[in-house]
């Protein structure tokens, strides 16, 4: 199964990709995570990406297409993978189709996470991420058991992402509307798109997502 999770920033793609990956064993391919790893490593690619990400803009298509081409060719992706945050533009979707066609594969399903902007701003501004193990929390909706301490690894480094500041959130939502929303038509025309109510509790979203895959 090659699955695309499509939706605005904060709609819960990463949360559901992690749950589904744990359940089904398909790796989560998150371009956002890959870029943040490159930034943390101080690589040339990371430095280039950071200037785009900090301003809420998209990183150039050629960069993210290259990341996905490399990662998806690894052995653990043989039985499928979950794309989280990719594709985000029509050229990225076209590159993905070309890449998969060359391997006699294709995107099987695209799930669109639907939710209002007001709720997205609440989710993004309250998000905290463990900088040690990557576990995700929300100060109101899913706080850690002990304030400021990661439930999974015990680290006290629960941080707010640089791009979860109010001004950057606003820009990311605008960029989504202008550059990523056209993918809804692209995948509707390809008869691959299904819509998911992303306003529900994570457990309920997961249950509905699993039904859509069966
Ligand atoms: P990326 O990391 O992909 O960010 P995003 O798409 O903006 O998505 P988010 O990670 O912000 O949100 P999400 O939908 O995964 O929600 P989450 O599960 O975390 O990209 C960052 C940047 O990298 C981009 O701006 C761009 O610059 C660059 N980039 C990445 N991919 C690119 C590409 N393909 N092309 C070009 N540039 C690219 O949940 C959010 C919060 O809500 C959490 O706190 C969570 O706990 C909470 N939550 C989740 N589900 C629920 C629920 N059901 N109810 C209540 N709370 C919930």
């Amino acid at each position: 199964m090659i699955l695309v999770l499509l939706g605005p920033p904060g709609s819960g793609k990463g949360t559901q990709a992690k749950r589904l990956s744990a359940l089904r064993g398909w790796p989560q391919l998150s371009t956002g995570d890959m870029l943040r790893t490159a930034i943390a490593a101080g690589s040339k690619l990371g430095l280039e990406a950071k200037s785009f990400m900090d301003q809420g803009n998209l990183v150039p298509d050629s960069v993210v297409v290259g990341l996905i081409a490399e990662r998806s060719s690894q052995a653990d992706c043989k039985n499928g993978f979950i794309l989280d945050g990719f594709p985000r533009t029509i050229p990225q979707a076209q590159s993905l189709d070309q890449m998969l066609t060359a391997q006699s594969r294709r995107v099987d399903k695209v799930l669109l996470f639907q939710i209002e902007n007001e709720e997205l701003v609440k989710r993004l501004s309250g998000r905290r991420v463990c900088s040690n193990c990557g576990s995700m929390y929300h100060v109101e909706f899913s706080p850690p058991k002990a304030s400021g301490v990661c439930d999974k690894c015990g680290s006290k480094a629960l941080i707010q992402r640089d791009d979860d500041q109010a001004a950057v959130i606003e820009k990311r939502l605008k960029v989504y509307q202008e550059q990523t929303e056209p993918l809804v038509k692209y995948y509707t025309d390809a008869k691959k798109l299904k819509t998911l109510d992303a306003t529900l509790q994570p457990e309920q979203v997961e249950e509905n997502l699993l039904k859509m895959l069966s």
Side-chain angles (χ1 to χ4, degrees), residues 27 34-35 105 107 141 160 164 169-170 181 184 209 214:
M34 292 177 200
L35 292 167
R105 303 168 97 185
V107 168
F141 307 136
Q160 184 171 33
D164 280 347
I169 292 174
E170 200 182 314
E181 260 181 13
V184 173
L209 189 153
S214 61

Side-chain angles (χ1 to χ4, degrees), residues 8-15 31-32 35-36 53 57-59 64 85-86 88 92 123-124 127 136-138 141-142 161 163 172 198 200-202 205:
S11 56
K13 304 179 299 294
T15 300
T31 36
L35 292 167
R36 280 183 289 277
M53 293 167 79
N57 287 315
L58 294 183
V59 171
V64 287
F86 180 94
R88 256 172 148 105
Q92 288 180 23
R123 286 191 185 181
L124 292 171
R127 173 166 55 187
M136 197 155 36
Y137 300 93
H138 189 282
F141 307 136
S142 56
R161 267 170 48 176
D163 60 352
R172 287 163 66 201
L200 304 172
Q201 290 299 307
V205 177

Side-chain angles (χ1 to χ4, degrees), residues 80-214:
F81 49 89
I82 306 161
L83 288 165
D84 162 17
F86 180 94
R88 256 172 148 105
T89 63
I90 297 281
Q92 288 180 23
Q94 289 166 336
S95 296
L96 176 65
D97 284 344
Q98 282 163 13
M99 189 177 86
L100 293 174
T101 303
Q103 301 164 2
S104 305
R105 303 168 97 185
R106 62 185 160 82
V107 168
D108 294 295
K109 281 197 172 108
V110 179
L111 301 184
L112 173 66
F113 285 54
Q114 212 161 44
I115 183 167
E116 296 300 320
N117 277 5
E118 200 183 323
E119 183 63 22
L120 295 173
V121 173
K122 275 193 223 159
R123 286 191 185 181
L124 292 171
S125 50
R127 173 166 55 187
R128 298 292 180 271
V129 184
C130 174
S131 60
N132 183 47
C133 74
S135 296
M136 197 155 36
Y137 300 93
H138 189 282
V139 289
E140 190 184 336
F141 307 136
S142 56
K145 291 188 187 95
S147 173
V149 182
C150 178
D151 293 347
K152 290 216 175 97
C153 73
S155 163
K156 290 190 178 156
L158 298 191
I159 56 155
Q160 184 171 33
R161 267 170 48 176
D162 289 343
D163 60 352
D164 280 347
Q165 309 295 331
V168 188
I169 292 174
E170 200 182 314
K171 181 68 191 289
R172 287 163 66 201
L173 293 174
K174 192 160 175 276
V175 166
Y176 174 79
Q177 196 187 1
E178 291 171 357
Q179 299 190 48
T180 308
E181 260 181 13
L183 289 177
V184 173
K185 179 170 176 351
Y186 183 90
Y187 285 121
T188 302
D189 291 349
K191 301 193 177 0
K192 295 193 174 174
L193 191 98
K194 293 199 173 187
T195 301
L196 201 59
D197 180 355
T199 62
L200 304 172
Q201 290 299 307
E203 297 71 25
Q204 189 63 55
V205 177
E206 178 186 312
E207 199 180 314
N208 293 344
L209 189 153
L210 290 173
K211 276 187 206 151
M212 285 178 173
L213 295 184
S214 61

Side-chain angles (χ1 to χ4, degrees), residues 25-27 71 74-81:
W26 302 317
R71 179 65 186 89
Q74 292 173 8
D76 63 338
C77 292
K78 200 172 60 136
N79 295 325
F81 49 89

